[in-house]
């Protein structure tokens, strides 16, 4: 089964940018290319929220209106990597960000629809 490791989190001021990365290992490139991948975020006491999803065909979705136009998800199949470019960050974006993967592609954006998870990387945005 795949292992997912996130990196790139940190502390930034409001208006700043960050790029999160997720390195996937333990599976073949062919299998990875067929996975649906996503970025979720979670704050204490709240459920994990999908912020960006990329489907095996390359289509993307950004469920929260608040991130549209500011967040961009991308993947490089032959590097088995997933990225989340975030710009114009604000304090409400502060959260633990998780990379998630699943061989299925649910039309929903629930955490329960994703089987494999990384350990998370913290993003803190100060005003």
């Amino acid at each position: 089964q795949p292992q997912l490791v996130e990196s790139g989190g940190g502390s930034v001021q409001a208006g700043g940018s960050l790029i999160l990365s997720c390195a996937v290992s333990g599976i073949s490139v062919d299998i990875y290319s067929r996975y649906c991948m996503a970025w979720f975020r979670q704050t204490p006491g709240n459920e994990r929220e999908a912020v960006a999803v990329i489907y095996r065909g390359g289509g993307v979705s950004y469920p929260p209106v608040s991130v549209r136009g500011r967040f961009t998800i991308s993947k490089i199949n032959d590097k088995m990597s997933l990225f989340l470019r975030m710009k114009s960050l604000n304090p409400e974006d502060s959260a633990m960000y998780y990379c998630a993967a699943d061989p299925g592609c649910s039309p929903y954006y629930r955490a329960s629809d994703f089987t494999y998870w990384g350990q998370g990387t913290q993003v803190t945005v100060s005003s």
Side-chain angles (χ1 to χ4, degrees), residues 15-69:
S17 301
L18 281 174
I19 300 175
L20 305 184
S21 301
C22 176
V24 180
S25 62
I27 56 174
S28 70
V29 169
D30 179 60
I31 291 175
Y32 173 74
S33 68
R34 289 183 267 136
Y35 272 37
C36 281
M37 304 292 297
W39 288 97
F40 282 73
R41 65 186 179 188
Q42 186 174 27
T43 53
N46 294 305
E47 295 184 353
R48 288 187 187 183
E49 169 192 42
V51 296
V53 181
I54 187 165
Y55 301 97
R56 60 173 68 96
V60 299
S61 182
Y62 303 96
V65 173
S66 64
V67 310
R68 295 174 190 172

Side-chain angles (χ1 to χ4, degrees), residues 66-113:
S66 64
V67 310
R68 295 174 190 172
R70 300 190 299 120
F71 288 14
T72 303
I73 188 172
S74 62
K75 63 185 294 197
I76 301 177
N77 285 335
D78 60 357
K79 301 290 188 183
M80 296 207 297
S81 297
L82 180 74
F83 303 95
L84 184 68
R85 289 171 171 80
M86 305 184 293
K87 65 180 182 180
S88 302
L89 287 163
N90 58 65
E92 290 69 39
D93 295 316
S94 296
M96 184 72 78
Y97 282 72
Y98 296 91
C99 172
D102 199 84
C105 285
S106 168
Y108 306 106
Y109 309 114
R110 301 167 298 199
S112 57
D113 292 323

